[in-house]
Amino acid sequence: MPALAESLPSAAPVAADTTCFHCGLPVPPGTRYAAAIDGQRQPMCCHGCQAVAEAIVAAGLTDFYRHRTTPSRRAEDLIPQALRGLELYDRPDLQKSFVHVESDRVREAALMLEGIVCAACVWLSEHRVNALPGVLEFRVNYSTHRAQVRWDERQIKLSEILAAIAAIGYIAHPFDPSRQEALQKRERAGALRRLAVAGLAAMQVMMLAVGLYVGEHQGMEAWVQDFLRWVCLILTVPVMVYSAQSFYSAAWRGLRHRQLGMDVPVTLAIVAAFIASVWYTWRGGGEVYYDSVTMFVFFLLTARFLEMSARHQAGRISEALVRMLPATATRLSATGDEVAVPMAELVPGDRVLVRPGETIPADGQVLEGVSGVDESLLTGESLPLPKKPGETLIGGAVNVDSPLVMRIDQVGAETVLSAIVRLLDRAQSEKPRLALLADRIAGWFVAVLLLAAAVVLGIWWHLTDFDTAFRVTLAVLVVTCPCALSLATPTAIVAATGALTRQGVLTTRGHALETLARATHVIFDKTGTLTYGRLRLAAVEPLEGREAGQCLAWAAALERGSEHPVGRALVEAATDGVPLATEVRNTPGSGVEGWIDGRRYRVGRPAFAAGLRAGAASERRDLDAASTWIALGDETGLLAWFQLADTLRPGAAEAVAALAARGLTVELLSGDRPEAVEHIAREVGISTATGGLSPQDKLERVRDLQRQGAVVAMVGDGVNDAPVLAAAQVSLAMGSGTQLAHATADLVLLSERLDALVVGVDMARRTLKIIRENSTWAIGYNLTALPLAATGWLLPWMAALGMSFSSLLVVVNALRLRQP
């Protein structure tokens, strides 16, 4: 491990004839710049050379100095190729595929980290990178080894962040699903090799150990015992040198940065047992622990291999989302020619042909064609959704029926699919309250464990002999390793969020599941949440014997070019036979007037529609106050009434009933007319409903409930819901809602089905239960195992078996969450 470079401004000035170790130029007299390279203080001519030398040493690239023949004067030769390669990631053309631009200054990117072996590695990398000036946020998902980083482009470059990660012993690069798969295969293959070496050695050593144990009581000759010890030593060396290497590197990395990780007691136990065994073998007497060393390494590697497999499996949902995009797309030229191009070459404005069975390459709009589109992997919606010109397409969905020509609107990190992956990664890497508590306990537990081991060694040594004291202390170090405690929460969170994503519920915050499980109140907004938020024609009431279809056709003709929700509802309801209207004129706040076949018509407010004939009646007392009513009229008076109403989402009443059955108090708060709100509340079975509320009124209601001790879950969709979504302890936004609502919410219901909310509540409660089970088991196991080991009841090999079983039990229990 190369020594870290360090500035030495207080050192004595270098001699006048000294040259810069980095660039070879003379060092100005009196200069105090220097850097420690391979443990030796080397002079530098300026702060720039000193900074570059420090970066080279921090990145572990001191071979750059060893293998050069002479210092170069060219600037490009003074920086190793490995460091120059990181600067490529600062190029805007390269960043557009994996960097999300939040603002002029703030950037966000997904990275892959190589070298992460345990939860302590996550803690170390997060603390070191978050301390860099300009880094706004850095979180590592232990289950997928992916990191989310947000930084201020004006203060720090991405290449500097990558170099800082390299300085603490990890390799970071932009997330790429194909490279991620290759890394996982390489990680799995390496783990299997280490496990195979440890397993084969453990089996052989255990057979020889049985001979040694029996031979002590059966009068085995001393030279045979010595021979068996030497054979055990030879078999154990590959385990110590190769199989246990990951424990040493993780422990050294933590100690180098003053962090007591779980690999510290593991490494201490392995190395101490091996050294003691070698000493007794050399002396030709005493108890050896080769069997305990090999078994401990084998059991621990087995538990970590199974945990790694579970981690890969739990993280596959987000990787499946990333892999949904195709490698190429068929771009249409201005003349209509088809050209196959890589995904990276698509830009907003391109026209792309999507054939049946092909995946939509990016977000955009349908220009030509009508087809069904399968969005099941994105939203959980099982049936294909019909798409026609003007409607939105989401990258990653599959075209089912007919060819579509689309216009590309968003590419790369700006697509809906990329946003979903970012939010999912953020949720899996953020730690809920229980996980933070477990991390704090684990850090202190290692320190307490080492102190307890020292006390146990001293007491047993005082009461008995050193051999017995060492054996008991070894069992204490092994049996109480806090691996299970550190795995208790992260594995459960990843498994639960992956399962929910498959059900159409996207978790965007780490605390969301824990808080939703403790929720006491669920508050719904009406428009866009319980209802679709789009007016639909509910009824046509023609007057004086006229045909309903003809009246609807006249109204649709007047509203054909309107963008008003009422006009769109009338046009969508009129399927065919719509005549042509001329001289159409819109009167804001009243309605539309125009000529059809030589007659003048009006559609809109009743008084406006009846205004073409003086004294015509325009009022009705039997109208449903919960609906919107408009009228059609001509110069003879009113011709028809149209009832428009917001459409209730399918399953809304069932979802409300299911939430109430689970002990939750359900309320409805809306800014809509009180009559409309009461009508919807009666339909879905909500007893407490209030209409006519401003965003501030909703906020006050939520705060009032919170002051009474309630844990509030707010479900909304619009811009006006953003303040109350932010104020609630946990918030959910509909997938069709605004981007501001998505950004504020802790969970997003990607599908249009409210029963997904019930699924989310059930999963949150199961997750919290399993986290508590895991934490209780991990803490209870350590509290029970420590006294047993300290009093000499557990042999070292028993301790190794118990610790490995504890970690495996926690992982298997958490993976039950993957089942619906």
Side-chain angles (χ1 to χ4, degrees):
M1 182 73 66
L4 289 176
E6 57 184 21
S7 304
L8 300 171
S10 60
V14 298
D17 57 350
T18 303
T19 59
C20 177
F21 184 79
H22 181 68
C23 69
L25 293 174
V27 176
T31 300
R32 297 174 182 266
Y33 297 111
I37 300 173
D38 287 335
Q40 305 230 345
R41 178 179 175 274
Q42 302 292 353
M44 301 288 155
C45 65
C46 63
H47 179 70
C49 284
Q50 181 191 52
V52 173
E54 290 175 350
I56 290 172
V57 178
L61 301 172
T62 50
D63 285 344
F64 169 75
Y65 292 116
R66 298 191 192 103
H67 300 313
R68 67 178 181 178
T69 55
T70 182
S72 173
R73 303 296 174 88
R74 296 196 307 162
E76 59 269 26
D77 293 336
L78 294 176
I79 300 177
Q81 184 64 38
L83 287 181
R84 288 205 302 270
L86 296 180
E87 296 177 359
L88 292 174
Y89 294 123
D90 294 332
R91 291 170 46 181
D93 58 334
L94 191 62
Q95 287 189 357
K96 71 178 183 179
S97 62
F98 68 93
V99 173
H100 172 60
V101 180
E102 293 188 10
S103 65
D104 292 341
R105 301 178 59 172
V106 179
R107 305 286 188 271
E108 182 177 5
L111 304 176
M112 291 167 54
L113 262 64
E114 298 182 41
I116 298 290
V117 295
C118 66
C121 298
V122 173
W123 183 94
L124 175 61
S125 58
E126 286 180 344
H127 279 68
R128 300 294 286 186
V129 176
N130 279 314
L132 297 174
V135 173
L136 305 177
E137 191 175 24
F138 181 78
R139 299 182 308 272
V140 179
N141 182 345
Y142 172 62
S143 294
T144 61
H145 291 186
R146 292 211 299 269
Q148 292 292 121
V149 58
R150 293 175 65 247
W151 73 96
D152 188 334
E153 184 73 9
R154 298 185 186 179
Q155 294 187 52
I156 193 170
K157 298 296 183 184
L158 180 58
S159 60
E160 296 175 296
I161 298 174
L162 299 180
I165 296 173
I168 55 175
Y170 305 105
I171 301 173
H173 43 78
F175 172 68
D176 174 50
S178 59
R179 188 171 181 180
Q180 173 87 342
E181 183 179 12
L183 286 175
Q184 288 184 351
K185 287 183 178 178
R186 191 172 70 190
E187 181 185 14
R188 183 181 178 87
L192 279 173
R193 286 194 297 269
R194 289 191 295 271
L195 184 60
V197 170
L200 290 173
M203 286 188 291
Q204 302 302 318
V205 171
M206 279 301 298
M207 287 190 295
L208 296 174
V210 171
L212 282 172
Y213 293 145
V214 173
E216 287 186 13
H217 300 88
Q218 299 294 327
M220 179 183 290
E221 296 184 38
W223 72 269
V224 177
Q225 293 185 25
D226 291 341
F227 174 75
L228 293 180
R229 289 193 184 98
W230 280 103
V231 174
C232 288
L233 170 60
I234 294 171
L235 291 171
T236 306
V237 167
V239 177
M240 292 295 298
V241 174
Y242 177 67
S243 296
Q245 190 177 41
S246 60
F247 306 138
Y248 309 149
S249 59
W252 170 247
R253 191 183 296 122
L255 290 174
R256 198 159 57 94
H257 297 281
R258 300 179 180 179
Q259 166 67 14
L260 286 176
M262 67 183 70
D263 284 306
V264 172
V266 169
T267 300
L268 184 60
I270 292 171
V271 173
F274 182 72
I275 291 175
S277 300
V278 172
W279 170 251
Y280 289 133
T281 301
W282 182 262
R283 282 180 50 194
E287 186 174 358
V288 293
Y289 303 97
Y290 297 120
D291 55 339
S292 297
V293 169
T294 53
M295 283 187 64
F296 182 35
V297 173
F298 174 68
F299 287 145
L300 192 55
L301 287 176
T302 300
R304 291 198 177 182
F305 177 79
L306 295 173
E307 183 265 330
M308 177 196 67
S309 300
R311 176 164 47 79
H312 290 174
Q313 194 170 17
R316 280 175 189 162
I317 179 64
S318 56
E319 293 169 20
L321 290 173
V322 175
R323 295 175 190 278
M324 289 171 64
L325 294 179
T328 62
T330 304
R331 185 165 58 193
L332 299 178
S333 66
T335 59
D337 295 333
E338 299 179 8
V339 181
V341 297
M343 275 287 300
E345 294 185 11
L346 290 180
V347 296
D350 281 349
R351 294 169 64 246
V352 172
L353 173 65
V354 185
R355 297 181 177 87
E358 291 184 346
T359 301
I360 295 168
D363 295 354
Q365 275 193 353
V366 178
L367 297 178
E368 302 173 21
V370 176
S371 183
V373 173
D374 182 3
E375 298 180 352
S376 57
L377 282 179
L378 290 167
T379 66
E381 184 64 53
S382 58
L383 297 176
L385 302 177
K387 298 291 182 179
K388 59 181 183 293
E391 295 195 346
T392 301
L393 294 173
I394 301 176
V398 178
N399 183 22
V400 177
D401 300 321
S402 306
L404 291 175
V405 175
M406 66 175 295
R407 182 188 69 236
I408 301 296
D409 291 336
Q410 302 287 349
V411 296
E414 305 304 318
T415 61
V416 171
L417 183 60
S418 295
I420 290 174
V421 173
R422 274 198 309 274
L423 292 174
L424 183 59
D425 279 344
R426 182 177 71 180
Q428 292 181 341
S429 59
E430 284 186 344
K431 296 180 179 179
R433 181 176 54 85
L434 287 175
L436 294 173
L437 178 61
D439 285 350
R440 287 196 294 269
I441 292 175
W444 283 103
F445 186 83
V446 172
V448 173
L449 167 62
L450 296 177
L451 181 61
V455 172
V456 168
L457 177 64
I459 293 175
W460 277 90
W461 197 356
H462 176 72
L463 296 177
T464 60
D465 57 284
F466 177 78
D467 290 349
T468 303
F470 184 79
R471 175 176 55 78
V472 173
T473 305
L474 185 61
V476 169
L477 286 173
V478 171
V479 80
T480 52
C481 177
C483 297
L485 186 61
S486 296
L487 293 172
T489 300
T491 312
I493 291 294
V494 171
T497 52
L500 280 177
T501 303
R502 288 191 293 270
Q503 296 288 328
V505 182
L506 178 65
T507 310
T508 69
R509 291 291 183 185
H511 74 87
L513 294 179
E514 181 185 353
T515 311
L516 183 60
R518 296 186 294 106
T520 59
H521 288 65
V522 177
I523 297 180
F524 285 98
D525 178 47
K526 181 184 79 69
T527 306
T529 305
L530 289 174
T531 67
Y532 280 107
R534 298 186 297 269
L535 289 177
R536 292 287 185 270
L537 182 64
V540 180
E541 297 184 8
L543 302 177
E544 299 180 5
R546 292 180 174 83
E547 293 185 3
Q550 184 62 63
C551 292
L552 178 59
W554 287 333
L558 296 174
E559 296 280 10
R560 191 192 300 270
S562 174
E563 290 298 321
H564 193 279
V566 170
R568 288 201 301 267
L570 292 173
V571 172
E572 290 174 2
T575 55
D576 49 28
V578 179
L580 178 65
T582 59
E583 300 182 36
V584 177
R585 184 179 62 186
N586 178 41
T587 302
S590 297
V592 179
E593 176 182 330
W595 292 80
I596 303 174
D597 296 332
R599 294 181 63 183
R600 188 162 55 153
Y601 295 87
R602 284 183 178 181
V603 63
R605 292 182 179 273
F608 174 75
L612 291 177
R613 178 185 177 186
S618 62
E619 294 185 3
R620 285 182 57 178
R621 297 190 178 183
D622 60 341
L623 299 180
D624 181 5
S627 302
T628 298
W629 291 86
I630 62 171
L632 173 71
D634 64 4
E635 294 174 351
T636 65
L638 293 183
L639 304 177
W641 289 87
F642 300 97
Q643 180 187 14
L644 296 104
D646 199 353
T647 307
L648 196 66
R649 291 184 187 272
E654 292 80 358
V656 169
L659 292 173
R662 285 158 174 76
L664 294 165
T665 302
V666 183
E667 292 190 19
L668 174 58
L669 304 179
S670 176
D672 206 349
R673 302 189 320 274
E675 298 86 356
V677 174
E678 291 175 5
H679 172 73
I680 292 296
R682 284 195 302 272
E683 284 197 49
V684 300
I686 297 178
S687 58
T688 306
T690 310
L693 298 177
S694 67
Q696 184 62 32
D697 294 332
K698 296 180 184 179
L699 191 59
E700 286 301 323
R701 173 58 181 162
V702 168
R703 287 176 175 169
D704 183 54
L705 288 172
Q706 290 171 336
R707 282 192 289 268
Q708 298 173 29
V711 178
V712 177
M714 178 70 196
V715 189
D717 85 315
V719 172
N720 64 336
D721 293 326
V724 70
L725 286 172
Q729 282 99 330
V730 61
S731 53
L732 303 95
M734 302 302 296
S736 58
T738 63
Q739 290 299 318
L740 183 56
H742 290 180
T744 309
D746 302 312
L747 297 101
V748 178
L749 304 181
L750 296 174
S751 67
E752 298 293 307
R753 306 189 315 271
L754 282 173
D755 58 351
L757 173 58
V758 182
V759 173
V761 171
D762 290 343
M763 179 61 75
R765 292 181 174 181
R766 285 181 59 201
T767 303
L768 186 60
K769 178 183 177 184
I770 283 183
I771 289 175
R772 286 173 173 166
E773 288 174 355
N774 284 350
S775 300
T776 301
W777 163 259
I779 294 173
Y781 161 78
N782 281 288
L783 292 178
T784 304
L786 180 59
L788 290 175
T791 52
W793 285 94
L794 292 180
L795 296 175
W797 69 267
M798 297 178 183
L801 185 60
M803 190 278 298
S804 303
F805 174 76
S806 174
S807 300
L808 181 60
L809 182 65
V810 165
V811 172
V812 172
N813 190 41
L815 290 181
R816 292 193 295 126
L817 290 168
R818 294 190 291 117
Q819 304 302 322

